[in-house]
Amino acid sequence: MIYGIFSDIHANLSALEAVENSMAEHGVERRVCLGDLVGYCADVEECVQLTAKISDICVMGNHDSVAVKRESSMHFNQYARYVIEWTQQNLSESAINYLKSLAYMVEEGDICFVHASPKSPADWYYIASLDEAMDAFEFFTTKYCFVGHTHNPVIVALDDGFPQVIEEDFYQVQGSERLLINVGSVGQPRDRDARASWCLFDSEKETIRIVRVEYDISITQKNMRKRDFPIFLIKRLAEGR
Ligand code: ZN
């Protein structure tokens, strides 16, 4: 099966459309969204509807949870809070119902999908260091676990208790090792590369590729400016941070 796994769209429609085109070009057969459909950008309704349409599996992110008022925005910074409150008022009933229906974690065969961490998925732990990655391996039993949340793509392989961070954007899985893969962010990459990120995973060949895609950032920025979104959020898109 050829999977296209994408995360952290954050209401950036221009980026999501570019990723969908890229997934189609790469022959993706099964699409998985790892959550955070909304927050930060303005194309909220369009991104929820398009994700619902194309995804075979979709899990809940922390911004989605706040958008549907399942939890408060108290852990958000001022910029994220401004946008999520706007989002709460600009989602249709059907979009809210879709977000409410999402599971925190989904397992399929030898793969698990979760937004932040398999360790207590609804607590949104960050996996931002090798120690945190090692800890996360204790909380899933499948061979593969795909996550988003940090907006930084990375592949970590665990072989016989020894972790290895893969520096390349392509990896051929070896033997019996287990993998934790962060697929990066569609709508707000933070690794100083402004291009949208997604992951191409071939479960038969056991290959993993982080794919980066150019998209028209100015369209997204224009839609944010129209709604008076914070300038900091508008500018960071072009800087990939
Ligand atoms: Zn996010």
Side-chain angles (χ1 to χ4, degrees), residues 8 10 36 115 149 151:
D8 297 272
H10 287 297
D36 273 7
H115 178 66
H149 197 43
H151 300 205

Side-chain angles (χ1 to χ4, degrees), residues 11 41-44 46 82-83 86 90 219-230 234:
C41 304
D43 315 318
V44 288
E46 297 88 339
Y82 174 91
V83 176
W86 180 89
N90 284 276
I219 297 173
T220 306
Q221 290 174 319
K222 201 174 98 197
N223 291 343
M224 294 166 81
R225 230 174 268 124
K226 243 194 283 178
R227 275 77 176 222
D228 289 322
F229 276 19
I234 296 171

Side-chain angles (χ1 to χ4, degrees), residues 39-59:
Y40 296 130
C41 304
D43 315 318
V44 288
E45 188 66 23
E46 297 88 339
C47 283
V48 175
Q49 300 299 350
L50 182 55
T51 303
K53 189 175 142 203
I54 66 174
S55 299
D56 297 290
I57 294 172
C58 182
V59 297

Side-chain angles (χ1 to χ4, degrees), residues 7-47:
S7 189
D8 297 272
I9 300 149
H10 287 297
N12 185 338
L13 182 64
S14 175
L16 179 60
E17 286 175 341
V19 164
E20 167 53 12
N21 288 336
S22 177
M23 289 194 293
E25 279 168 22
H26 282 85
V28 165
E29 299 164 320
R30 198 155 171 78
R31 289 159 172 76
V32 181
C33 174
L34 300 181
D36 273 7
L37 285 65
V38 298
Y40 296 130
C41 304
D43 315 318
V44 288
E45 188 66 23
E46 297 88 339
C47 283

Side-chain angles (χ1 to χ4, degrees), residues 113-140:
F113 302 106
V114 63
H115 178 66
S117 171
K119 174 182 176 175
S120 192
D123 288 328
W124 318 115
Y125 288 112
Y126 284 91
I127 304 174
S129 68
L130 201 52
D131 276 353
E132 286 162 350
M134 284 295 281
D135 186 39
F137 273 106
E138 306 281 322
F139 293 86
F140 65 97

